Amino acid sequence: GTGPNSRSITGSLTKLNALSGAVTAKASAQSTVKLSSFESELDGVTTGLKKSAHIKNALAEMGVKHNAVAQLKNDNKAMIEFVKGDGVAKGVRHMELRMWYTRNEYAKGKVELDYMSGAE
């Protein structure tokens, strides 16, 4: 959805595993207006991946065993295909370089990204 000033709303829920409760949960307007839903979704996934890295680092420092691969879900198939290297992103030259972080982390095997309908 969109909020005031046409900024997309990003929501995230972080769990340690499929059976655990939420460790973090947040919904907020993105800091800038995005020019496409693709860019907005990629920004949200990139933010989620960075949050996951922070949590994994904290767990590692405490000596807690955890899954080394982040498992993210998103409802934008074009963005998922782009991250996995299967899709072509047309008209995204305007995107910031930091957005390529997610694609690089996927290529290194540090993240799994799967489709989940917006209704879930």
Side-chain angles (χ1 to χ4, degrees):
T2 57
N5 303 319
S6 299
R7 293 186 182 149
S8 295
I9 304 298
T10 296
S12 66
L13 175 76
T14 307
K15 298 167 70 172
L16 294 179
N17 60 52
L19 301 176
S20 77
V23 175
T24 66
K26 183 178 181 180
S28 61
Q30 292 183 350
S31 59
T32 59
V33 175
K34 304 297 187 244
L35 299 178
S36 67
S37 61
F38 175 97
E39 184 179 4
S40 178
E41 296 287 351
L42 184 56
D43 184 52
V45 167
T46 301
T47 300
L49 181 56
K50 292 188 320 187
K51 182 186 296 184
S52 173
H54 289 286
I55 292 170
K56 288 190 299 184
N57 288 339
L59 291 173
E61 287 181 15
M62 292 185 286
V64 177
K65 291 185 179 183
H66 59 282
N67 188 349
V69 178
Q71 297 176 329
L72 304 176
K73 301 199 182 286
N74 188 274
D75 65 353
N76 188 305
K77 290 180 181 179
M79 185 275 305
I80 292 169
E81 289 175 3
F82 168 75
V83 168
K84 291 183 174 183
D86 298 332
V88 176
K90 297 178 181 176
V92 295
R93 287 182 175 254
H94 63 277
M95 290 180 2
E96 299 173 31
L97 289 176
R98 70 182 185 86
M99 298 299 213
W100 291 86
Y101 167 79
T102 304
R103 191 172 194 176
N104 289 333
E105 293 298 288
Y106 179 83
K108 292 177 190 174
K110 293 187 175 184
V111 62
E112 291 178 10
L113 183 59
D114 297 307
Y115 177 77
M116 177 179 75
S117 76
E120 291 184 54

